Amino acid sequence: MSKYLLLCCLCFSGLALSLRAQTHSVPSIQKLHITDTRSHSVFGVYVIHKEKSWLITTTDIDGECEFRTDWFAPGDSIQFQGMGYKVATYTVADLKHLREIHLEELNFLLDEMTVSSISMEELLNKAISQINKPIRNQVPLCRFYGRSQYEKITVYHDRALESRREFGYYFTSGNVRCKNVWDKAFRSYFIPTHSARSLNLTNDGSDTLSPLYITTEETRFDAGTRKIFTLMRTVQLYAPLFSSLRFYEIHPMDSDSLDYVFSFQTKPSHYPDDIRISCKGSFTLDYATYRLKNMTFDYIDYQLFRQVILTDRRKTASPFSTKATLTFGYTPEGEIYIRSCHQETKWKHDLGKDFILIEQPSRMHPAFGKLIEKEAFYDYEYLPVQESLQTQTMLSKIHVIQRNPIGTYEPAIFHALPILLDNEKAIADLNQFKDIEQQFQENSEKTYYPDNYINGFNGFGGKGRADKGYQLNLRTVRRQLFELFPLPQTTGIAKPD
């Protein structure tokens, strides 16, 4: 009889274990919608296991969240903490009967002044409202300009092949709306007046590079390529806050700063059809004004100016990996602009026939040499161009000067300017070929490309020109431009943050 009872107990125990295993094999998911007392969705609410101080999840931009309840006991406490809201606490058992939770706003009475909190959704909307695009350019025009600085270091097989520091003008259309998919009406030009430019060396650093560019079906490179200005425009068009938030996962971040800090990442389902960049990073909003202060990209892959009609031989992913940091300023009228940008591009693949794009590497075989292009830009001021100078004629002058720049090397100028990129190793590498000061002197007042680089293009209103007249025409147009815009001065320049 005892054996029979023991057998029954074992069978019953086994059945109980089997039922328990089956129960736990199906996760119990709790879905909740978090709102304020006005039924507005609350973004960025922390869902925390109170006893163990675990962060379980956070609400998305629609105030939604979900998590497994079978990980916790029915009596465990779950807290909902939103910035500017009173903490709400429920047991796991209580939550099973709820679908929506309302958070109560915090209000403080300080020195007869009432300070009311702001939800994450409201905060982000306030930031977006200050990033307006005032007009849609119908024709290309430059609406703003200012003194600016540009630097670039090209590295191949961990050796610097070029270093350039330039100071001059930056002309731009501003943060205008995109006219069409190719953004043809937008313009952005950097024109140096002074330059400390090294020689361009070959891939092994043993000689000077000639020619400086090649464009064929199999081989493409351009020593003078500048990716930073394309990136800056991409940010203006597609980055978080500059475009719809629905394309991004956005979450608040813990920070020692008093400002608001958020992380972001493109939702894979929206790239590249709905949004033209795939990226991950963070941005900071000013605590008092809610204005965007800075934005950092851990990576950014962009489809601006790239053919995205896919075939078996074309890829949407970039052949290079980019990371960048930007800071922002605002004009007295409240228009946002990019004050500074630091960018680093690492090449993963050669171009060949697999990648169709305008951005080209600074050297041939970039993947083989692990090519790295470091760039930096700083805008010291952002001034409106007089309406009388916002013309197609003025644009043509700016365009032709920017296309083949000239800069004078004056050591005192560059000793006064801050260094945007750490160039100590680059200068040591380039000194092995020839004294760097001698290189700077050789490139003083010298055009970057040879005359035939823009053969058949003049930009001066005529239909053609001989190459021998290019240098004279270029200097004539520079003089005309600088008569209208006095030469930039380095005195009184504040060091970039």
Side-chain angles (χ1 to χ4, degrees), residues 265-289:
Q265 185 170 2
T266 306
K267 294 179 180 177
S269 59
H270 288 291
Y271 175 77
D273 295 331
D274 301 321
I275 190 71
R276 301 288 289 277
I277 60 175
S278 175
C279 58
K280 179 182 179 182
S282 62
F283 61 80
T284 302
L285 303 181
D286 185 88
Y287 178 79
T289 64

PDB file of all heavy atoms in Angstrom, residues 265-289:
ATOM      1  N   GLN A 265      18.011  56.477 -32.115  1.00  0.00           N
ATOM      2  CA  GLN A 265      18.422  55.477 -33.104  1.00  0.00           C
ATOM      3  C   GLN A 265      17.336  55.379 -34.159  1.00  0.00           C
ATOM      4  O   GLN A 265      16.140  55.357 -33.845  1.00  0.00           O
ATOM      5  CB  GLN A 265      18.654  54.118 -32.450  1.00  0.00           C
ATOM      6  CG  GLN A 265      19.194  53.060 -33.411  1.00  0.00           C
ATOM      7  CD  GLN A 265      19.635  51.808 -32.680  1.00  0.00           C
ATOM      8  OE1 GLN A 265      19.508  51.697 -31.468  1.00  0.00           O
ATOM      9  NE2 GLN A 265      20.170  50.854 -33.412  1.00  0.00           N
ATOM     10  N   THR A 266      17.744  55.322 -35.432  1.00  0.00           N
ATOM     11  CA  THR A 266      16.772  55.193 -36.511  1.00  0.00           C
ATOM     12  C   THR A 266      16.052  53.853 -36.412  1.00  0.00           C
ATOM     13  O   THR A 266      16.665  52.822 -36.163  1.00  0.00           O
ATOM     14  CB  THR A 266      17.476  55.282 -37.881  1.00  0.00           C
ATOM     15  OG1 THR A 266      18.235  56.479 -37.944  1.00  0.00           O
ATOM     16  CG2 THR A 266      16.456  55.283 -39.015  1.00  0.00           C
ATOM     17  N   LYS A 267      14.736  53.876 -36.604  1.00  0.00           N
ATOM     18  CA  LYS A 267      13.977  52.622 -36.656  1.00  0.00           C
ATOM     19  C   LYS A 267      14.288  51.940 -37.997  1.00  0.00           C
ATOM     20  O   LYS A 267      14.059  52.532 -39.061  1.00  0.00           O
ATOM     21  CB  LYS A 267      12.479  52.901 -36.540  1.00  0.00           C
ATOM     22  CG  LYS A 267      12.054  53.479 -35.193  1.00  0.00           C
ATOM     23  CD  LYS A 267      10.561  53.748 -35.165  1.00  0.00           C
ATOM     24  CE  LYS A 267      10.135  54.324 -33.823  1.00  0.00           C
ATOM     25  NZ  LYS A 267       8.685  54.654 -33.790  1.00  0.00           N
ATOM     26  N   PRO A 268      14.786  50.712 -37.970  1.00  0.00           N
ATOM     27  CA  PRO A 268      15.198  50.031 -39.204  1.00  0.00           C
ATOM     28  C   PRO A 268      14.094  49.961 -40.259  1.00  0.00           C
ATOM     29  O   PRO A 268      14.374  50.003 -41.460  1.00  0.00           O
ATOM     30  CB  PRO A 268      15.600  48.632 -38.722  1.00  0.00           C
ATOM     31  CG  PRO A 268      15.968  48.813 -37.288  1.00  0.00           C
ATOM     32  CD  PRO A 268      15.053  49.885 -36.769  1.00  0.00           C
ATOM     33  N   SER A 269      12.846  49.889 -39.824  1.00  0.00           N
ATOM     34  CA  SER A 269      11.742  49.752 -40.771  1.00  0.00           C
ATOM     35  C   SER A 269      11.538  51.000 -41.630  1.00  0.00           C
ATOM     36  O   SER A 269      10.872  50.934 -42.672  1.00  0.00           O
ATOM     37  CB  SER A 269      10.444  49.440 -40.018  1.00  0.00           C
ATOM     38  OG  SER A 269      10.147  50.470 -39.085  1.00  0.00           O
ATOM     39  N   HIS A 270      12.115  52.140 -41.226  1.00  0.00           N
ATOM     40  CA  HIS A 270      11.897  53.391 -41.956  1.00  0.00           C
ATOM     41  C   HIS A 270      13.058  53.767 -42.879  1.00  0.00           C
ATOM     42  O   HIS A 270      12.973  54.757 -43.613  1.00  0.00           O
ATOM     43  CB  HIS A 270      11.657  54.540 -40.973  1.00  0.00           C
ATOM     44  CG  HIS A 270      10.328  54.486 -40.304  1.00  0.00           C
ATOM     45  ND1 HIS A 270       9.147  54.713 -40.970  1.00  0.00           N
ATOM     46  CD2 HIS A 270       9.985  54.209 -39.021  1.00  0.00           C
ATOM     47  CE1 HIS A 270       8.133  54.602 -40.128  1.00  0.00           C
ATOM     48  NE2 HIS A 270       8.616  54.288 -38.939  1.00  0.00           N
ATOM     49  N   TYR A 271      14.172  53.012 -42.826  1.00  0.00           N
ATOM     50  CA  TYR A 271      15.359  53.380 -43.615  1.00  0.00           C
ATOM     51  C   TYR A 271      15.551  52.410 -44.769  1.00  0.00           C
ATOM     52  O   TYR A 271      15.461  51.195 -44.555  1.00  0.00           O
ATOM     53  CB  TYR A 271      16.599  53.368 -42.717  1.00  0.00           C
ATOM     54  CG  TYR A 271      17.912  53.604 -43.434  1.00  0.00           C
ATOM     55  CD1 TYR A 271      18.276  54.886 -43.829  1.00  0.00           C
ATOM     56  CD2 TYR A 271      18.768  52.549 -43.725  1.00  0.00           C
ATOM     57  CE1 TYR A 271      19.476  55.112 -44.479  1.00  0.00           C
ATOM     58  CE2 TYR A 271      19.965  52.773 -44.371  1.00  0.00           C
ATOM     59  CZ  TYR A 271      20.316  54.046 -44.747  1.00  0.00           C
ATOM     60  OH  TYR A 271      21.505  54.266 -45.408  1.00  0.00           O
ATOM     61  N   PRO A 272      15.810  52.886 -46.014  1.00  0.00           N
ATOM     62  CA  PRO A 272      15.952  54.292 -46.409  1.00  0.00           C
ATOM     63  C   PRO A 272      14.706  54.885 -47.062  1.00  0.00           C
ATOM     64  O   PRO A 272      14.760  55.986 -47.596  1.00  0.00           O
ATOM     65  CB  PRO A 272      17.081  54.209 -47.438  1.00  0.00           C
ATOM     66  CG  PRO A 272      16.821  52.901 -48.131  1.00  0.00           C
ATOM     67  CD  PRO A 272      16.265  51.975 -47.079  1.00  0.00           C
ATOM     68  N   ASP A 273      13.572  54.158 -47.049  1.00  0.00           N
ATOM     69  CA  ASP A 273      12.399  54.628 -47.788  1.00  0.00           C
ATOM     70  C   ASP A 273      11.784  55.891 -47.202  1.00  0.00           C
ATOM     71  O   ASP A 273      11.397  56.802 -47.937  1.00  0.00           O
ATOM     72  CB  ASP A 273      11.342  53.515 -47.838  1.00  0.00           C
ATOM     73  CG  ASP A 273      11.821  52.309 -48.631  1.00  0.00           C
ATOM     74  OD1 ASP A 273      12.638  52.509 -49.540  1.00  0.00           O
ATOM     75  OD2 ASP A 273      11.393  51.183 -48.319  1.00  0.00           O
ATOM     76  N   ASP A 274      11.664  55.956 -45.856  1.00  0.00           N
ATOM     77  CA  ASP A 274      11.005  57.092 -45.213  1.00  0.00           C
ATOM     78  C   ASP A 274      11.989  58.152 -44.720  1.00  0.00           C
ATOM     79  O   ASP A 274      11.688  59.344 -44.744  1.00  0.00           O
ATOM     80  CB  ASP A 274      10.158  56.608 -44.029  1.00  0.00           C
ATOM     81  CG  ASP A 274       9.101  55.612 -44.458  1.00  0.00           C
ATOM     82  OD1 ASP A 274       8.520  55.810 -45.543  1.00  0.00           O
ATOM     83  OD2 ASP A 274       8.867  54.631 -43.727  1.00  0.00           O
ATOM     84  N   ILE A 275      13.131  57.711 -44.239  1.00  0.00           N
ATOM     85  CA  ILE A 275      14.143  58.632 -43.718  1.00  0.00           C
ATOM     86  C   ILE A 275      15.472  58.260 -44.350  1.00  0.00           C
ATOM     87  O   ILE A 275      15.793  57.074 -44.470  1.00  0.00           O
ATOM     88  CB  ILE A 275      14.220  58.578 -42.171  1.00  0.00           C
ATOM     89  CG1 ILE A 275      15.086  59.707 -41.616  1.00  0.00           C
ATOM     90  CG2 ILE A 275      14.677  57.227 -41.675  1.00  0.00           C
ATOM     91  CD1 ILE A 275      14.457  61.055 -41.724  1.00  0.00           C
ATOM     92  N   ARG A 276      16.275  59.259 -44.739  1.00  0.00           N
ATOM     93  CA  ARG A 276      17.446  58.985 -45.559  1.00  0.00           C
ATOM     94  C   ARG A 276      18.730  58.773 -44.769  1.00  0.00           C
ATOM     95  O   ARG A 276      19.813  58.717 -45.356  1.00  0.00           O
ATOM     96  CB  ARG A 276      17.646  60.150 -46.554  1.00  0.00           C
ATOM     97  CG  ARG A 276      16.462  60.380 -47.478  1.00  0.00           C
ATOM     98  CD  ARG A 276      16.303  59.307 -48.528  1.00  0.00           C
ATOM     99  NE  ARG A 276      17.330  59.394 -49.520  1.00  0.00           N
ATOM    100  CZ  ARG A 276      17.305  60.216 -50.575  1.00  0.00           C
ATOM    101  NH1 ARG A 276      16.276  61.019 -50.750  1.00  0.00           N
ATOM    102  NH2 ARG A 276      18.278  60.226 -51.450  1.00  0.00           N
ATOM    103  N   ILE A 277      18.641  58.670 -43.444  1.00  0.00           N
ATOM    104  CA  ILE A 277      19.835  58.357 -42.662  1.00  0.00           C
ATOM    105  C   ILE A 277      19.535  57.229 -41.679  1.00  0.00           C
ATOM    106  O   ILE A 277      18.445  57.134 -41.128  1.00  0.00           O
ATOM    107  CB  ILE A 277      20.394  59.582 -41.888  1.00  0.00           C
ATOM    108  CG1 ILE A 277      19.362  60.127 -40.901  1.00  0.00           C
ATOM    109  CG2 ILE A 277      20.866  60.657 -42.828  1.00  0.00           C
ATOM    110  CD1 ILE A 277      19.906  61.253 -40.040  1.00  0.00           C
ATOM    111  N   SER A 278      20.522  56.376 -41.505  1.00  0.00           N
ATOM    112  CA  SER A 278      20.492  55.367 -40.456  1.00  0.00           C
ATOM    113  C   SER A 278      21.568  55.760 -39.456  1.00  0.00           C
ATOM    114  O   SER A 278      22.744  55.898 -39.821  1.00  0.00           O
ATOM    115  CB  SER A 278      20.791  53.979 -41.029  1.00  0.00           C
ATOM    116  OG  SER A 278      20.880  53.015 -39.994  1.00  0.00           O
ATOM    117  N   CYS A 279      21.182  55.987 -38.203  1.00  0.00           N
ATOM    118  CA  CYS A 279      22.137  56.551 -37.265  1.00  0.00           C
ATOM    119  C   CYS A 279      21.804  56.169 -35.829  1.00  0.00           C
ATOM    120  O   CYS A 279      20.704  55.691 -35.524  1.00  0.00           O
ATOM    121  CB  CYS A 279      22.182  58.081 -37.392  1.00  0.00           C
ATOM    122  SG  CYS A 279      20.573  58.883 -37.117  1.00  0.00           S
ATOM    123  N   LYS A 280      22.774  56.405 -34.959  1.00  0.00           N
ATOM    124  CA  LYS A 280      22.614  56.181 -33.528  1.00  0.00           C
ATOM    125  C   LYS A 280      23.460  57.206 -32.806  1.00  0.00           C
ATOM    126  O   LYS A 280      24.584  57.495 -33.225  1.00  0.00           O
ATOM    127  CB  LYS A 280      23.071  54.777 -33.149  1.00  0.00           C
ATOM    128  CG  LYS A 280      22.973  54.464 -31.658  1.00  0.00           C
ATOM    129  CD  LYS A 280      23.486  53.070 -31.364  1.00  0.00           C
ATOM    130  CE  LYS A 280      23.408  52.756 -29.875  1.00  0.00           C
ATOM    131  NZ  LYS A 280      23.948  51.408 -29.568  1.00  0.00           N
ATOM    132  N   GLY A 281      22.932  57.788 -31.729  1.00  0.00           N
ATOM    133  CA  GLY A 281      23.711  58.789 -31.005  1.00  0.00           C
ATOM    134  C   GLY A 281      22.926  59.417 -29.876  1.00  0.00           C
ATOM    135  O   GLY A 281      22.028  58.787 -29.291  1.00  0.00           O
ATOM    136  N   SER A 282      23.223  60.677 -29.591  1.00  0.00           N
ATOM    137  CA  SER A 282      22.554  61.397 -28.504  1.00  0.00           C
ATOM    138  C   SER A 282      22.515  62.890 -28.823  1.00  0.00           C
ATOM    139  O   SER A 282      23.299  63.379 -29.638  1.00  0.00           O
ATOM    140  CB  SER A 282      23.289  61.170 -27.175  1.00  0.00           C
ATOM    141  OG  SER A 282      24.615  61.665 -27.237  1.00  0.00           O
ATOM    142  N   PHE A 283      21.584  63.610 -28.182  1.00  0.00           N
ATOM    143  CA  PHE A 283      21.533  65.064 -28.326  1.00  0.00           C
ATOM    144  C   PHE A 283      21.170  65.691 -26.991  1.00  0.00           C
ATOM    145  O   PHE A 283      20.613  65.035 -26.105  1.00  0.00           O
ATOM    146  CB  PHE A 283      20.569  65.508 -29.426  1.00  0.00           C
ATOM    147  CG  PHE A 283      19.129  65.122 -29.217  1.00  0.00           C
ATOM    148  CD1 PHE A 283      18.296  65.851 -28.378  1.00  0.00           C
ATOM    149  CD2 PHE A 283      18.599  64.024 -29.879  1.00  0.00           C
ATOM    150  CE1 PHE A 283      16.974  65.495 -28.193  1.00  0.00           C
ATOM    151  CE2 PHE A 283      17.263  63.658 -29.703  1.00  0.00           C
ATOM    152  CZ  PHE A 283      16.456  64.400 -28.864  1.00  0.00           C
ATOM    153  N   THR A 284      21.494  66.980 -26.853  1.00  0.00           N
ATOM    154  CA  THR A 284      21.273  67.720 -25.605  1.00  0.00           C
ATOM    155  C   THR A 284      20.419  68.948 -25.866  1.00  0.00           C
ATOM    156  O   THR A 284      20.676  69.697 -26.812  1.00  0.00           O
ATOM    157  CB  THR A 284      22.620  68.148 -24.989  1.00  0.00           C
ATOM    158  OG1 THR A 284      23.420  66.995 -24.750  1.00  0.00           O
ATOM    159  CG2 THR A 284      22.402  68.891 -23.673  1.00  0.00           C
ATOM    160  N   LEU A 285      19.413  69.155 -25.009  1.00  0.00           N
ATOM    161  CA  LEU A 285      18.570  70.348 -25.071  1.00  0.00           C
ATOM    162  C   LEU A 285      18.856  71.230 -23.868  1.00  0.00           C
ATOM    163  O   LEU A 285      19.025  70.729 -22.751  1.00  0.00           O
ATOM    164  CB  LEU A 285      17.089  69.960 -25.081  1.00  0.00           C
ATOM    165  CG  LEU A 285      16.610  69.030 -26.187  1.00  0.00           C
ATOM    166  CD1 LEU A 285      15.109  68.776 -26.035  1.00  0.00           C
ATOM    167  CD2 LEU A 285      16.916  69.601 -27.557  1.00  0.00           C
ATOM    168  N   ASP A 286      18.911  72.529 -24.095  1.00  0.00           N
ATOM    169  CA  ASP A 286      19.154  73.478 -23.017  1.00  0.00           C
ATOM    170  C   ASP A 286      18.024  73.428 -22.003  1.00  0.00           C
ATOM    171  O   ASP A 286      16.836  73.415 -22.356  1.00  0.00           O
ATOM    172  CB  ASP A 286      19.288  74.893 -23.590  1.00  0.00           C
ATOM    173  CG  ASP A 286      19.657  75.907 -22.530  1.00  0.00           C
ATOM    174  OD1 ASP A 286      20.857  76.096 -22.275  1.00  0.00           O
ATOM    175  OD2 ASP A 286      18.728  76.499 -21.948  1.00  0.00           O
ATOM    176  N   TYR A 287      18.389  73.415 -20.721  1.00  0.00           N
ATOM    177  CA  TYR A 287      17.398  73.275 -19.644  1.00  0.00           C
ATOM    178  C   TYR A 287      16.409  74.441 -19.623  1.00  0.00           C
ATOM    179  O   TYR A 287      15.212  74.246 -19.389  1.00  0.00           O
ATOM    180  CB  TYR A 287      18.114  73.188 -18.300  1.00  0.00           C
ATOM    181  CG  TYR A 287      17.180  73.079 -17.112  1.00  0.00           C
ATOM    182  CD1 TYR A 287      16.583  71.868 -16.784  1.00  0.00           C
ATOM    183  CD2 TYR A 287      16.888  74.197 -16.330  1.00  0.00           C
ATOM    184  CE1 TYR A 287      15.714  71.762 -15.710  1.00  0.00           C
ATOM    185  CE2 TYR A 287      16.016  74.108 -15.257  1.00  0.00           C
ATOM    186  CZ  TYR A 287      15.437  72.889 -14.950  1.00  0.00           C
ATOM    187  OH  TYR A 287      14.581  72.793 -13.884  1.00  0.00           O
ATOM    188  N   ALA A 288      16.898  75.651 -19.889  1.00  0.00           N
ATOM    189  CA  ALA A 288      16.047  76.832 -19.754  1.00  0.00           C
ATOM    190  C   ALA A 288      15.271  77.155 -21.033  1.00  0.00           C
ATOM    191  O   ALA A 288      14.103  77.545 -20.971  1.00  0.00           O
ATOM    192  CB  ALA A 288      16.886  78.037 -19.345  1.00  0.00           C
ATOM    193  N   THR A 289      15.929  76.996 -22.188  1.00  0.00           N
ATOM    194  CA  THR A 289      15.312  77.445 -23.441  1.00  0.00           C
ATOM    195  C   THR A 289      14.759  76.312 -24.296  1.00  0.00           C
ATOM    196  O   THR A 289      14.029  76.566 -25.255  1.00  0.00           O
ATOM    197  CB  THR A 289      16.344  78.220 -24.290  1.00  0.00           C
ATOM    198  OG1 THR A 289      17.401  77.314 -24.667  1.00  0.00           O
ATOM    199  CG2 THR A 289      16.932  79.389 -23.508  1.00  0.00           C
TER     200      THR A 289
END
